[in-house]
Amino acid sequence: QVQLVESGGGLVEPGGSLRLSCAASRRIFGMNVMGWYRQAPGKQRELVATITSAGSANYAESVKGRFTISRDNARNTVHLQMNSLKPEDTAVYYCNLYIGVAGQSYWGQGTQVTVSS
């Protein structure tokens, strides 16, 4: 029904920045939440940041103050600006869309973020 495609991952040095983008294949109407999750090797997938269709953002404590999530509702895109990156941020980052009316979650394919010197 909805496909999500992430982009922008890559290799960056500690302290550097990276911007992730996620595009949905179609417009999403009604209350919904888009967000980013990440999964590091040997760890469970964890929430990074979410943003509602109304623009309310939520962040994991580990990234608060360093990451900024934003969205363009008209284009059904969500971005994650990651600054002051740390090696601990290394993970595969997944875009997520939750549609409230349908109670459905959709996931992107993931994009690798590696923070290393």
Side-chain angles (χ1 to χ4, degrees), residues 16-106:
S17 298
L18 212 55
R19 181 177 172 86
L20 305 183
S21 298
C22 173
S25 61
R26 66 172 177 85
R27 290 288 303 277
I28 309 299
F29 299 96
M31 194 178 302
N32 63 84
V33 181
M34 297 190 77
W36 292 93
Y37 291 70
R38 67 186 182 188
Q39 187 165 23
K43 297 183 64 178
Q44 63 180 270
R45 189 172 299 185
E46 65 177 349
L47 181 148
V48 177
T50 62
I51 184 166
T52 70
S53 46
S56 297
N58 182 53
Y59 299 91
E61 286 298 320
S62 60
V63 307
K64 203 168 186 177
R66 300 188 297 120
F67 292 9
T68 302
I69 190 170
S70 61
R71 64 185 290 169
D72 184 335
N73 292 334
R75 293 180 171 84
N76 280 120
T77 58
V78 62
H79 306 280
L80 185 68
Q81 179 66 46
M82 305 185 293
N83 299 325
S84 302
L85 283 162
K86 306 174 180 179
E88 305 88 79
D89 296 317
T90 296
V92 176
Y93 284 68
Y94 297 90
C95 180
N96 172 262
L97 165 66
Y98 176 75
I99 301 176
V101 170
Q104 291 288 326
S105 280
Y106 299 87

